[in-house]
Amino acid sequence: MPRIRLDTDGPVVTVRLDHPPMNAFDTAQRAELAAAVRGLADDREVKAVVLYGGERLFAAGADVKALALMDSEEVRGWNRALQRTFDEVARLPVPVIAAITGYALGGGLELALAADYRVAADDALLGQPEVQLGIIPGSGGTQRLTRLIGPSRAKNLLMTGRRVGAEEALRLGLVDEVVPPGEAYDSALRYARRLAEGPAAALEAIKEAVDHGADSSLSAGLALERSLFTGVFGTADAAGGIRSFLEHGPGKARFEGPERDK
């Protein structure tokens, strides 16, 4: 049975993890996710993506039983492929929103970290428990977590392997919004629809500026911002947005898009 489902709602696509009981990442699910993400990256009609694991849980990490059967070389190749797949999620040229329910642990949290915005149900539990197995996160956990919440807080979660509830995750900056149980997906979908109405080229440029600028010096980041600003200034959405502002005031523009290359 397919382990990844795509549900399309106009310009918003939900990538649904569907590998019961725990949505644990094995080779098949990783390969299906990679194929789905590459298709979305090339689809000019897609303007926002929601990551969702279902009402019961987001994802509880890697398939530990499968990992236990691998030697070090097999593990290296498997990990490289999973890390690359999550990186492709992070580099999607549209906003990505994670709807977190139940558990988001290990590789599940690493996938959520690849999103641009995280909505969590208030009974969700998040963590990187790899240290309790004598290993470390290998698909972005040490890097994206640190960039998101800072070195000290990241080390605490990584070194103890403890799970945090949604409210603590919100205080740490690990998630961006906490909602009642049963509302995480709807809230994420509403936010995705709102962003999907925006100018596609500008949203892509903002994502690139923030993600790549944060990993560079201030001067390099400013140069990147300047280049991206100049690039989006010539788009049809920018022309329409400026014209609408001058004629009708702020907040009245309707953006046509999409303008990404095929």
Side-chain angles (χ1 to χ4, degrees):
M1 296 293 291
R3 288 167 164 76
I4 299 293
R5 293 205 328 251
L6 298 182
D7 298 322
T8 301
D9 178 13
V12 178
V13 175
T14 296
V15 177
R16 166 72 185 271
L17 308 179
D18 191 14
H19 184 205
M22 303 301 285
N23 286 338
F25 276 93
D26 59 9
T27 299
Q29 179 162 272
R30 197 282 311 164
E32 288 185 31
L33 178 61
V37 169
R38 289 165 192 163
L40 293 173
D42 293 334
D43 190 339
R44 299 177 71 239
E45 300 304 317
V46 176
K47 300 187 74 176
V49 169
V50 176
L51 304 175
Y52 183 50
E55 295 180 1
R56 197 171 69 86
L57 83 166
F58 186 73
D63 187 337
V64 178
K65 289 183 179 179
L67 288 178
L69 298 176
M70 298 181 188
D71 61 29
S72 59
E73 288 300 318
E74 290 173 321
V75 166
R76 182 178 292 111
W78 181 90
N79 175 245
R80 184 183 298 112
L82 187 61
Q83 189 180 82
R84 182 176 63 246
T85 298
F86 287 0
D87 196 46
E88 289 174 339
V89 172
R91 288 188 287 105
L92 277 169
V94 298
V96 179
I97 299 92
I100 301 173
T101 57
Y103 295 117
L105 303 173
L109 180 55
E110 288 175 303
L111 175 59
L113 290 172
D116 303 302
Y117 191 86
R118 282 157 290 277
V119 180
D122 66 8
D123 57 353
L125 291 172
L126 302 86
Q128 298 282 178
E130 289 87 348
V131 70
Q132 297 172 357
L133 301 177
I135 59 176
I136 70 170
S139 300
T142 65
Q143 300 305 304
R144 291 193 176 93
L145 184 65
T146 299
R147 285 163 172 75
L148 188 64
I149 68 174
S152 181
R153 289 174 169 177
K155 287 175 184 176
N156 172 259
L157 296 185
L158 294 167
M159 291 180 174
T160 64
R162 69 186 183 90
R163 302 172 181 182
V164 299
E167 290 296 338
E168 182 178 1
L170 183 64
R171 291 195 300 272
L172 291 172
L174 185 53
V175 301
D176 304 289
E177 185 179 345
V178 174
V179 298
E183 297 184 16
Y185 178 64
D186 289 341
S187 294
L189 195 59
R190 281 195 299 272
Y191 186 58
R193 287 170 179 157
R194 174 185 173 189
L195 295 181
E197 295 176 352
L203 292 175
E204 181 179 356
I206 288 169
K207 185 168 178 172
E208 185 175 350
V210 172
D211 289 349
H212 294 290
D215 292 333
S216 63
S217 66
L218 177 60
S219 60
L222 289 171
L224 174 62
E225 180 183 80
R226 188 164 58 249
S227 175
L228 292 167
F229 172 81
T230 303
V232 299
F233 199 81
T235 63
D237 276 345
I242 292 171
R243 183 172 59 252
S244 175
F245 175 83
L246 294 175
E247 295 176 355
H248 307 292
K252 304 297 184 181
R254 293 294 180 267
F255 300 105
E256 297 299 325
E259 301 184 25
R260 302 200 308 277
D261 293 336
K262 291 184 179 180

